Amino acid sequence: MGHGSNDKLYITHTEHSVLGSHSASSGFRAKQEAPHPGARTPFDCCSLSFQPFENSVCARNSDGTGNVFDLVNIIPWLKQHNNTNPITKEPLTPADLIQLHYSRKASGEIHDPISFKPFSEHSHILAIATTGNVFLAESIKGGKDLVNDVPFKKQDVITLQNPHGLAPASVPSQSSSSSTHTTKAVATPTPPVAAVKSKEATPWNISPYSSGLPGASLTSTSVDPTVAGGAASKLVWDEEELMFEAISNPLKGKGKEKDVGKRRAYVRVVTSLGGGSLNLELFCEKAPKTCYNFLMLAREGKYDNCLFHRLIPGFMIQTGDPTGTGSGGQSFWETPFRDEYDLKGAAKHDSRGVLAMANKGANTNGYILLHLVQQPIALIQMLRSQFYLTFKPVPHLDKKHTVFGKLVGGEDVLNALENIPRKDGTERPAKSVKITEVVIYQDPFDEYKTRLATKLAKRAEGPKIVKPEKKEGDDINWFGVKVGSEGSVNDKIIGGGVGKYLNLKRPQAATGISEEPLKKRKLGFGNFESW
């Protein structure tokens, strides 16, 4: 059990505290000393190529630190990557680079020009931005560059390496990342002494799962100790994802599972073709995110005045592009979003008038198309954000496009759209037909938001205390005594002890016992003269 010549069957105090191999604080001491040198770029190497540099330059960061590069490596990088810092991803131009001057011995070893101490992975290395000279931290004194005899300011000092002052190894917070760009102090008003700190409200969408930092800080020396518990250490669900999950799950209650109509949306797409309309039913329970994207774009008026810019009789008619060219438009989030054709119970292209979402590839939904007939879909894969309705079943489009609705009214309008002639040699309709407006009759997402707002408002108000109404006889206890009084509703209470609760007054006619008071029993040992 012991070490060396120690045969003890236990760990001694010296082994535990001095040797450190079994010490509970050894990891904490190692963390305070420095991380492993391999965890960062060596001080004499380029941060881009990780090779020893010859023409050293520095890219200064907003937090006072700097990254050292070799000039022959950083210049081609900036040209190829549009002047972007390879480390911080911030803008960096060749004019922003600062040439560094290292002092070297005849053997090539880098050292401090003042104290002549060699640099190592444990050195605190600084550079002066105005002169480019590199020193150890202990050689920068008095606000003057001792090599060029030039004064400098505090903001001219760049930290190239500080192994004992690295940032915490834990996951950075959003506030810490934004605070590094702020250099000017902002005065905040001091709260009054008598002010009581209000309790932070717990988010309604808080997750039961922890962020992991409190647990990791107890078992790892590479993560800073996290003492915050409760809501501060919990993850928070995305509000939209919770809404999509609530719409997808069936309603609870007797018979409500079959009432799918309450979880679907109903809209009317008004066209300029004789004022005809396409009535659509959206499958919000099968493709909630796709339906929400369509409804939000409709509410913002993104589909108003959109042309049916592409028509293939027997295949499809296409719309939803604000530019009318087939290459414009974007989703409600202005970014691509996930497909939903692989979800459980996803709708299929199994009938005429199926409403589905076009995409540019996997998880690139953004436009909406109207599929009309079975044809090759190679060209449609290049589109980005239009919608389509089918004229007949097209099962080869399953598992490729998200079906999120169907036509429930306006079959004559769909037939008229299919019969519109096209321009010669093109797929554009010869007659301009537009979507004048999209009318929303039922939106389960809007109803969900209303219910959620009502629920949160009631939670903010707190529970209501209802005082019960007083009734006749509520002030009489079970002994028959009125609360707050010394009297009794009975005529007389006789006796002491437990017997005081008994009414010993009996009617004389019924018992034949007189109403004389009972004689008090004598206590003590009595008279012993007759013994």
Side-chain angles (χ1 to χ4, degrees):
M1 188 70 178
H3 293 271
S5 60
N6 185 4
D7 296 331
K8 295 183 175 63
L9 298 180
Y10 57 89
I11 299 174
T12 63
H13 175 74
T14 303
E15 293 172 346
H16 183 78
S17 59
V18 178
L19 297 181
S21 59
H22 296 279
S23 176
S25 60
S26 60
F28 180 74
R29 289 200 303 268
K31 178 184 176 182
Q32 285 187 327
E33 290 174 2
H36 192 274
R40 60 182 183 273
T41 305
F43 65 90
D44 59 346
C45 292
C46 172
S47 299
L48 187 59
S49 64
F50 302 106
Q51 299 297 322
F53 50 73
E54 296 181 1
N55 303 306
S56 57
V57 292
C58 174
R60 189 174 186 178
N61 302 325
S62 57
D63 57 353
T65 61
N67 302 110
V68 182
F69 301 99
D70 197 322
L71 190 62
V72 298
N73 295 327
I74 189 62
I75 294 300
W77 169 275
L78 296 179
K79 291 182 179 180
Q80 185 178 1
H81 296 85
N82 196 19
N83 292 335
T84 302
N85 191 319
I87 306 300
T88 63
K89 306 303 180 183
E90 296 180 355
L92 177 65
T93 61
D96 298 331
L97 298 175
I98 302 173
Q99 185 177 4
L100 299 180
H101 304 287
Y102 284 89
S103 299
R104 295 178 181 269
K105 297 181 180 180
S107 60
E109 184 181 17
I110 301 176
H111 65 89
D112 180 71
I114 306 302
S115 63
F116 291 92
K117 292 183 179 179
F119 288 176
S120 68
E121 63 270 13
H122 304 292
S123 302
H124 186 183
I125 305 174
L126 303 176
I128 307 301
T130 54
T131 61
N133 295 325
V134 183
F135 303 89
L136 291 176
E138 59 190 28
S139 299
I140 297 182
K141 300 178 181 179
K144 180 178 290 188
D145 189 332
L146 299 181
V147 174
N148 296 352
D149 197 21
V150 176
F152 63 86
K153 298 180 181 180
K154 185 177 181 181
Q155 54 267 27
D156 296 331
V157 179
I158 304 175
T159 302
L160 301 183
Q161 176 179 287
N162 185 10
H164 300 280
L166 293 177
S170 58
V171 180
S173 60
Q174 295 180 356
S175 59
S176 62
S177 61
S178 61
S179 61
T180 58
H181 302 281
T182 305
T183 57
K184 184 178 180 180
V186 180
T188 56
T190 304
V193 179
V196 180
K197 183 179 180 181
S198 60
K199 185 179 179 181
E200 296 182 359
T202 303
W204 70 270
N205 55 337
I206 191 170
S207 168
Y209 305 104
S210 171
S211 60
L213 291 182
S217 64
L218 296 175
T219 59
S220 174
T221 57
S222 62
V223 180
D224 291 338
T226 303
V227 297
S233 62
K234 298 291 185 180
L235 296 175
V236 179
W237 294 116
D238 183 81
E239 297 185 11
E240 287 187 350
E241 294 300 330
L242 292 178
M243 177 176 62
F244 298 151
E245 183 179 359
I247 298 298
S248 300
N249 295 331
L251 300 176
K252 297 181 180 180
K254 186 177 180 180
K256 290 186 177 181
E257 292 81 358
K258 299 181 180 180
D259 192 4
V260 185
K262 293 185 177 180
R263 292 184 289 147
R264 292 187 175 180
Y266 296 91
V267 300
R268 181 164 62 96
V269 179
V270 183
T271 68
S272 60
L273 189 63
S277 302
L278 298 170
N279 299 330
L280 304 176
E281 179 184 25
L282 305 186
F283 305 148
C284 299
E285 82 283 0
K286 297 182 179 180
K289 192 159 190 174
T290 307
C291 293
Y292 185 73
N293 173 68
F294 178 84
L295 293 171
M296 295 306 295
L297 290 176
R299 291 186 181 277
E300 293 179 355
K302 295 298 179 65
Y303 291 135
D304 296 349
N305 299 320
C306 283
L307 284 172
F308 289 88
H309 61 272
R310 186 166 181 242
L311 171 63
I312 303 177
F315 176 41
M316 70 141 195
I317 187 167
Q318 182 174 330
T319 185
D321 180 8
T323 64
T325 61
S327 61
Q330 57 187 0
S331 67
F332 167 68
W333 300 276
E334 299 182 357
T335 56
F337 61 95
R338 65 175 183 267
D339 294 306
E340 294 177 309
Y341 54 70
D342 54 351
L343 297 180
K344 183 179 179 181
K348 306 294 184 181
H349 299 78
D350 55 359
S351 62
R352 176 185 174 88
V354 169
L355 178 66
M357 176 74 68
N359 54 45
K360 194 179 179 181
N363 299 319
T364 58
N365 283 320
Y367 291 64
I368 306 173
L369 295 172
L370 294 173
H371 270 291
L372 302 182
V373 292
Q374 185 173 2
Q375 289 287 343
I377 198 64
L379 295 177
I380 298 182
Q381 291 284 7
M382 299 302 295
L383 302 177
R384 298 181 59 190
S385 51
Q386 292 88 25
F387 59 86
Y388 65 89
L389 276 165
T390 59
F391 279 128
K392 68 176 183 180
V394 283
H396 69 285
L397 297 180
D398 295 340
K399 302 297 182 180
K400 296 180 181 179
H401 300 271
T402 302
V403 175
F404 66 100
K406 66 179 181 179
L407 185 72
V408 294
E411 182 71 22
D412 55 337
V413 179
L414 187 60
N415 295 336
L417 290 173
E418 185 182 11
N419 296 327
I420 295 176
R422 296 182 299 172
K423 296 180 180 179
D424 296 338
T426 66
E427 296 177 349
R428 297 187 67 87
K431 179 182 178 181
S432 297
V433 182
K434 297 181 179 181
I435 297 176
T436 58
E437 64 174 335
V438 179
V439 182
I440 301 175
Y441 290 103
Q442 178 175 308
D443 185 356
F445 301 103
D446 189 51
E447 296 174 1
Y448 171 85
K449 293 178 182 178
T450 304
R451 294 194 304 268
L452 178 62
T454 304
K455 180 180 178 180
L456 296 180
K458 290 183 179 180
R459 179 184 297 183
E461 293 176 359
K464 295 182 179 180
I465 302 177
V466 180
K467 295 183 179 180
E469 299 179 359
K470 291 186 178 181
K471 299 180 180 179
E472 185 179 356
D474 288 348
D475 55 348
I476 305 298
N477 60 19
W478 67 288
F479 297 121
V481 180
K482 186 175 182 180
V483 178
S485 63
E486 298 179 356
S488 173
V489 295
N490 296 326
D491 295 336
K492 190 176 182 180
I493 299 297
I494 303 176
V498 179
K500 69 181 180 180
Y501 300 113
L502 303 177
N503 185 6
L504 300 180
K505 181 180 180 181
R506 299 183 177 87
Q508 184 176 0
T511 59
I513 303 176
S514 62
E515 297 182 4
E516 296 180 0
L518 298 177
K519 294 182 179 180
K520 187 175 182 181
R521 180 181 177 183
K522 294 182 179 180
L523 302 178
F525 295 101
N527 189 0
F528 294 92
E529 292 180 356
S530 60
W531 284 34

